[in-house]
Amino acid sequence: MWRPGFRRTRSSPATCRRSTSATGCSVCAPRRGTSSTKAPEELTVGEAAMLAGSVKAPSRLNPVDDFRASQARQRIVLAAMQDQGLITEREARQARRVRVREGRADLPVGSYFADWISAETKRAFDAAYGEVRVQTTLDSALQARAQRAVRRAVAGARGRGVTQGALIAMRTDGRVVAMVGGLDYQESQFNRATQAKRQPGSAFKLFVYLAALRRGYTPDSAVLDAPVQVGDWTPENHEGRYAGRPVPLRDAFARSSNVAAVRLSEQVGRGAVIRAARDLGVRSEIPNNPTIALGTSQMSLIELTSAYAAVAAGASPVTPRGLLAEPTYGPFGGPPRPRPLNARERDALLVLLREVVTRGTGTGASLRAPVYGKTGTSQDYRDAWFIGFVGDLVVGVWVGNDDNSPMRRVTGGSVPAQIFRDFAGFAAARQDFRESARPEPSEETLDLEAIEPEPLDIPEIEAEPGEVEPLDLPPDAPPAPDVAPEELAVPPAEPEPLAAS
């Protein structure tokens, strides 16, 4: 007996491809970058029985991941169909001969990327009946490289207390081409690239310096790199190293001076720093307190990476997307249309970001092509970040632990920069890589990490409050008269000599 809704096969077994889409049917999907569903009348009895059998446990009975389990369930369904008189015994035997033809294995159903774009895809599928194809932005080669880079680096850093990592890569127009939300999706579906909110550390300083640039500072304006106190709080530089004198912003940013960032934040006003973050697309809560200059507010990797993408694109905000179709801008359902950044401010940010990679804390991320980026390390080494871009590819990397336990001296310039270099170096070697011309940094940069505090005769970290310069300004106070940027401008070609260590 035959029922409508199935297609007979006589001479050859039915075939069904492994899905190559982030959202397609795991039994059949036609080609790379698309998702597809077959209309019922196009399915063979064997295919239909296999699909029906997988409903009980879609993940466990997925024929791609466990064909034997799916086949065993299929036979139960076929036996039930035979008992009901829907098919004959001979048809049941023939229907068992379903095979999964291997396709591209880079974009399986059930992935961090698939979960992330599920809402977008559902809207696309609801828009029509029958077969619907959705092209995604994911690049299978870049995705495979991203997974490899994260897994290899985390495995090599387990001895330093690293157990998890995440990576997101997007083009400057927001197209996400790779997403790694953790080491193993089957073990944990929690997406650390989009769902986890962690402290970005010094990677947040991008917004502090943008606020300063908006107040008239330049990369060659100076800021004092010496101990400072704000109320009862005394921030410290990494390992207690200070220049003990005013240094150009390019040097303070490249060497990630904490006290310089706090000074700038208090001088231009914390409100200006928060506005700078908002203007680049950050929507997470940012408490108005002195510690925001050091990245103590929490945000997601995709959010922070999108902000850096705005600098690379020269327009903000950059809205990440997973579907290839161009977004519809507007106030009703679509993302806001990007607005151009101030050219002077953007060029200055590019100079600062380039200094980080050429002479600062991010040298581990350098490539032949110009790289722009910033490292970030949260308190007690609980989070380590590198956010950067090369050409039109923007990449954000995070490593840490799900339980927020500290790592062993893992900074953004170590494991995250290594992951960035592995992944971005592969992307930059491809024929489709597009390199963009960027402003180059000057040759004059001081190595603050190499400066020892003793020869400079500056206060120790443990100094009493009266021994460091107090700084207690209201949130939106203008720069103090004695530290106005135009008065502190230091020609980079004639830096003050430093004592030899």
Side-chain angles (χ1 to χ4, degrees):
M1 181 181 294
W2 186 255
R3 293 290 181 269
F6 301 106
R7 173 172 52 85
R8 284 183 183 270
T9 57
R10 295 182 179 178
S11 58
S12 63
T15 62
C16 135
R17 290 185 181 177
R18 175 175 183 165
S19 174
T20 61
S21 163
T23 55
C25 161
S26 61
V27 180
C28 47
R31 60 185 177 86
R32 175 188 177 190
T34 65
S35 301
S36 175
T37 56
K38 282 188 175 182
E41 62 272 18
E42 297 177 352
L43 294 175
T44 65
V45 174
E47 291 172 343
M50 186 165 284
L51 286 174
S54 68
V55 172
K56 181 178 181 180
S59 298
R60 182 170 57 84
L61 298 177
N62 186 337
V64 173
D65 297 330
D66 194 337
F67 181 72
R68 289 190 177 183
S70 180
Q71 190 176 47
R73 185 66 183 173
Q74 176 213 37
R75 291 179 177 180
I76 295 176
V77 175
L78 290 173
M81 294 176 67
Q82 182 181 340
D83 290 343
Q84 293 292 324
L86 298 175
I87 57 176
T88 65
E89 181 181 355
R90 180 172 177 272
E91 289 173 335
R93 286 196 305 270
Q94 291 179 338
R96 294 177 183 177
R97 294 178 294 182
V98 172
R99 61 185 177 89
V100 176
R101 185 168 63 211
E102 288 296 327
R104 301 183 64 90
D106 301 304
L107 310 179
V109 169
S111 69
Y112 295 111
F113 181 82
D115 291 349
W116 178 62
I117 66 167
S118 61
E120 291 180 84
T121 306
K122 185 177 185 302
R123 286 193 295 270
F125 271 86
D126 288 344
Y129 295 96
E131 183 179 276
V132 178
R133 294 183 178 182
V134 177
Q135 287 189 301
T136 70
T137 60
L138 208 63
D139 185 306
S140 60
L142 292 181
Q143 177 67 19
R145 186 67 176 206
Q147 292 172 338
R148 174 187 172 189
V150 172
R151 290 170 181 167
R152 184 166 59 180
V154 171
R158 286 193 181 277
R160 302 174 66 183
V162 182
T163 61
Q164 273 296 349
L167 179 151
I168 187 162
M170 65 181 71
R171 301 297 180 184
T172 51
D173 62 358
R175 287 175 292 136
V176 174
V177 294
M179 177 181 290
V180 179
L183 296 188
D184 190 342
Y185 178 82
Q186 298 300 325
E187 182 179 315
S188 170
Q189 288 78 51
F190 180 71
N191 193 333
R192 296 154 189 85
T194 62
Q195 295 175 289
K197 289 202 171 185
R198 310 290 290 245
Q199 292 184 350
S202 293
F204 185 87
K205 290 174 182 174
L206 174 76
F207 312 117
V208 176
Y209 281 74
L210 175 56
L213 294 172
R214 289 177 171 180
R215 289 294 185 94
Y217 285 74
T218 73
D220 295 321
S221 298
V223 59
L224 183 60
D225 184 68
V228 65
Q229 180 178 333
V230 183
D232 297 330
W233 179 53
T234 305
E236 302 173 357
N237 277 355
H238 181 64
E239 297 185 348
R241 295 179 178 178
Y242 307 87
R245 59 177 291 272
V247 298
L249 262 64
R250 64 173 72 236
D251 300 324
F253 189 79
R255 299 302 170 183
S256 207
S257 170
N258 288 338
V259 294
V262 172
R263 274 192 169 89
L264 288 174
S265 178
E266 296 300 305
Q267 288 167 9
V268 304
R270 299 170 210 156
V273 174
I274 295 174
R275 283 194 296 274
R278 297 288 184 237
D279 290 344
L280 291 186
V282 174
R283 292 294 172 262
S284 292
E285 181 181 359
I286 306 176
N288 190 329
N289 63 60
T291 67
I292 64 170
L294 305 186
T296 56
S297 57
Q298 296 183 338
M299 60 187 62
S300 66
L301 178 61
I302 192 172
E303 186 175 23
L304 188 59
T305 305
S306 299
Y308 277 72
V311 179
S316 179
V318 171
T319 304
R321 71 178 195 272
L323 298 186
L324 196 58
E326 289 292 331
T328 302
Y329 297 107
F332 305 105
R337 184 177 295 277
R339 294 186 177 183
L341 301 180
N342 178 281
R344 181 192 68 82
E345 296 166 2
R346 175 178 178 266
D347 288 346
L349 286 177
L350 292 176
V351 170
L352 298 177
L353 292 168
R354 186 80 177 109
E355 294 280 5
V356 172
V357 180
T358 56
R359 299 174 179 86
T361 59
T363 54
S366 61
L367 300 169
R368 287 188 177 182
V371 175
Y372 305 79
K374 185 71 182 76
T375 58
T377 310
S378 67
Q379 191 173 19
D380 298 326
Y381 302 98
R382 298 179 188 277
D383 306 277
W385 312 66
F386 185 85
I387 317 292
F389 52 90
V390 54
D392 69 338
L393 181 67
V394 188
V395 184
V397 179
W398 167 89
V399 299
N401 299 303
D402 287 340
D403 61 2
N404 204 34
S405 59
M407 298 173 285
R408 288 187 274 282
R409 302 184 67 81
V410 175
T411 65
S414 59
V415 180
Q418 171 191 341
I419 295 173
F420 175 92
R421 181 185 177 92
D422 186 349
F423 173 77
F426 172 80
R430 298 200 334 178
Q431 291 184 349
D432 60 350
F433 173 72
R434 290 184 292 177
E435 183 176 330
S436 303
R438 308 290 186 186
E440 289 298 318
S442 75
E443 294 299 322
E444 297 293 339
T445 303
L446 305 179
D447 188 351
L448 300 183
E449 295 290 340
I451 299 174
E452 297 294 337
E454 292 79 12
L456 293 173
D457 193 25
I458 62 175
E460 297 290 338
I461 309 175
E462 296 81 13
E464 294 297 322
E467 295 181 270
V468 298
E469 178 187 351
L471 186 60
D472 190 7
L473 302 177
D476 292 308
D482 59 338
V483 290
E486 62 272 10
E487 295 176 6
L488 284 177
V490 178
E494 300 177 1
E496 182 177 326
L498 299 175
S501 57

